[in-house]
Amino acid sequence: MKSYYVYILRCADDSYYVGVTGNFDKRWEQHREGYFKACYTFRRRPLILEYHLEFNDVI
């Protein structure tokens, strides 16, 4: 069964970003490294992982 993750990041400007991914470790690294320049979090780094949860069904 495939796993998915929901996560909440706190940005340097105290805003929050909520995401869902099928590969949490890879996505977290992309956020931290600024892999996507168009991403909301790119200019709001450094980021703090506030919460993440693994689940099996995306509804």
Side-chain angles (χ1 to χ4, degrees), residues 9-28:
L9 306 178
R10 182 163 37 110
C11 302
D13 66 356
D14 283 330
S15 65
Y16 288 89
Y17 177 88
V18 178
V20 176
T21 184
N23 185 335
F24 177 75
D25 293 331
K26 179 179 177 181
R27 190 65 183 117
W28 173 230

Side-chain angles (χ1 to χ4, degrees), residues 43-59:
R43 296 187 188 271
R44 293 171 172 85
R45 293 175 290 151
L47 306 167
I48 297 171
L49 177 63
E50 291 288 338
Y51 177 81
H52 75 287
L53 178 68
E54 181 179 359
F55 57 97
N56 298 106
D57 292 322
V58 177
I59 298 175

